[in-house]
Amino acid sequence: MLEDHQTAPSTTPWPAAYPQGYAVVDVETTGLARDDRIVSAAVYRLDARGEVEDHWYTMVNPERDPGPVWIHGLTSDVLEGAPLFPEIAEEFASRLDGRVLVAHNAVFDWSMIAREYARAEREAPVRQRLCTIALSKELGLPLANHKLESLAAHFGVVQQRAHHALDDARVLAEAFRPSLQAAARGGVRLPLLECRPLTEWTDRAAPRIGRQSGGYSSGGYSAGGYPSGSWRPSRKRPACPYPNPGRYEPGKQLKQGMRIAFSGDTSVERDLLEDRAVEAGLHVATSLSRLTSLLVTNDPDSGTSKVVKARQFGTPVVDEAAFGQLLRDVEPASKK
């Protein structure tokens, strides 16, 4: 699917150091873990000033259960006749080649894309990425949260089919253009990060939730950027700006300000999970106390100190998959 768009050129003076082109990307996946697969992908190619050049969309047969159909809407029957990733890898690469990859929570989209190319024994032609969450922070946009729908609403972009790769990419492209132009006007340095392609991949059986497969290597680095198997340094985070509203009530939404603790292995990099929690307005706690709102663990029967304390205090417990779903719709903090 391909369309060309012609728009009037912007009169904004343009920083010479800015990239010459962008590929706004969205992928829908079977899940969030290292062994999950892409089920659909979309790319909007933009010129140096953020104007749309063309767009492309494809479904992808993941060769496994499609995962959260209630989110992306792609059933096994629909995906059965879709091409395998190696069959669309060249076309996908041509859309990315020579451009900065732009995505909302770009580390996730890049990680999924890099793993698919590694499985196909190829390398994605991406050297830099730009996260629109990071850009909105650099611009100081007055957003209630860092969801794509909030960014879209800020710029008056109407979303038609949330979690459909093509529409999500369109929405992001339309919101990125004014963001980029605002950055140019203000002389803001774009928050560009290096992309390290994966060079090795070993397919293994999909692990039980919470069991890391260790199935890939990127020059000895994990997706979080630390040497594989190394000690993970603690990260100082800014204080949560919202008061703690209390414990999480099963069946209801998380609320901004809730204290979240993690215990045990996670399929998604811990740093990424913690970053997503902080961006949603939650307080990531390093220990568990009577004030903790929720414990996230994939092994509730373990004897870790956090799990033991959660039992003693009656702290609610959910697994990583459930927490990922809860993060999609966090209730704003109550206004005083």
Side-chain angles (χ1 to χ4, degrees), residues 32-36 115 201-216 221-224 226-232 262-274 298-299 320:
L32 305 176
R34 295 175 177 182
D35 288 307
D36 276 302
R115 291 168 193 162
W201 182 271
T202 301
D203 270 320
R204 300 183 181 183
R208 182 170 69 84
I209 286 178
R211 294 292 181 259
Q212 295 184 359
S213 68
Y216 69 87
Y221 284 82
S222 69
Y226 301 113
S228 301
S230 74
W231 168 74
R232 182 171 60 92
F262 295 88
S263 178
D265 291 340
T266 52
S267 297
V268 176
E269 291 290 334
R270 176 70 65 82
D271 287 337
L272 176 56
L273 275 181
E274 292 180 355
N298 290 315
D299 195 358
E320 180 183 350

Side-chain angles (χ1 to χ4, degrees), residues 245-319:
R247 287 185 173 175
Y248 166 70
E249 297 181 39
K252 295 188 177 181
Q253 293 174 274
L254 291 173
K255 296 181 181 179
Q256 289 183 327
M258 283 186 169
R259 296 175 65 95
I260 310 298
F262 295 88
S263 178
D265 291 340
T266 52
S267 297
V268 176
E269 291 290 334
R270 176 70 65 82
D271 287 337
L272 176 56
L273 275 181
E274 292 180 355
D275 286 347
R276 291 181 64 203
V278 169
E279 287 161 1
L282 304 173
H283 178 146
V284 173
T286 57
S287 60
L288 194 140
S289 71
R290 295 183 187 276
L291 297 177
T292 304
S293 307
L294 180 69
L295 175 65
V296 179
T297 179
N298 290 315
D299 195 358
D301 298 322
S302 70
T304 66
S305 61
K306 289 179 183 177
V307 169
V308 171
K309 287 183 179 179
R311 292 197 199 103
Q312 293 173 347
F313 300 151
T315 305
V317 177
V318 300
D319 65 19

Side-chain angles (χ1 to χ4, degrees), residues 7 24-25 27-28 36 44 46-47 88 100-101 133 166 179 189 206 212 256 263 291 310 328 333:
T7 57
V24 177
V25 173
V27 297
E28 296 299 318
D36 276 302
Y44 267 73
L46 312 183
D47 66 14
I88 60 96
V100 171
L101 184 149
I133 294 175
L166 182 60
S179 298
R189 182 181 61 84
Q212 295 184 359
Q256 289 183 327
S263 178
L291 297 177
R328 292 177 177 271

Side-chain angles (χ1 to χ4, degrees), residues 2-49:
L2 183 68
E3 292 181 2
D4 294 322
H5 301 257
Q6 297 294 328
T7 57
S10 170
T11 58
T12 302
W14 216 251
Y18 275 24
Q20 295 302 302
Y22 304 87
V24 177
V25 173
D26 185 76
V27 297
E28 296 299 318
T29 66
T30 61
L32 305 176
R34 295 175 177 182
D35 288 307
D36 276 302
R37 306 296 300 271
I38 290 175
V39 295
S40 64
V43 181
Y44 267 73
R45 290 195 291 192
L46 312 183
D47 66 14
R49 292 175 179 261

Side-chain angles (χ1 to χ4, degrees), residues 119-260:
R119 286 187 188 96
E121 299 183 345
R122 299 184 58 163
E123 187 175 299
V126 179
R127 295 297 172 262
Q128 288 182 308
R129 66 177 184 268
L130 189 157
C131 180
T132 46
I133 294 175
L135 180 57
S136 67
K137 291 179 178 179
E138 290 286 338
L139 294 172
L141 299 183
L143 305 179
N145 53 52
H146 294 293
K147 296 179 181 178
L148 176 57
E149 61 192 58
S150 298
L151 181 64
H154 176 76
F155 289 112
V157 180
V158 178
Q159 192 161 27
Q160 298 171 349
R161 296 182 63 185
H163 303 301
H164 185 283
L166 182 60
D167 196 57
D168 279 356
R170 175 192 62 81
V171 168
L172 189 56
E174 291 184 17
F176 176 64
R177 181 173 58 254
S179 298
L180 181 64
Q181 293 172 351
R185 287 194 300 271
V188 174
R189 182 181 61 84
L190 297 181
L192 301 173
L193 293 176
E194 178 187 2
C195 288
R196 291 176 174 167
L198 304 183
T199 56
E200 299 176 20
W201 182 271
T202 301
D203 270 320
R204 300 183 181 183
R208 182 170 69 84
I209 286 178
R211 294 292 181 259
Q212 295 184 359
S213 68
Y216 69 87
S217 167
S218 178
Y221 284 82
S222 69
Y226 301 113
S228 301
S230 74
W231 168 74
R232 182 171 60 92
S234 61
R235 301 172 65 189
K236 291 186 178 180
R237 301 179 185 276
C240 182
Y242 310 111
N244 186 353
R247 287 185 173 175
Y248 166 70
E249 297 181 39
K252 295 188 177 181
Q253 293 174 274
L254 291 173
K255 296 181 181 179
Q256 289 183 327
M258 283 186 169
R259 296 175 65 95
I260 310 298

Side-chain angles (χ1 to χ4, degrees), residues 267 300 322 326 335:
S267 297
L326 289 170
K335 295 183 179 179

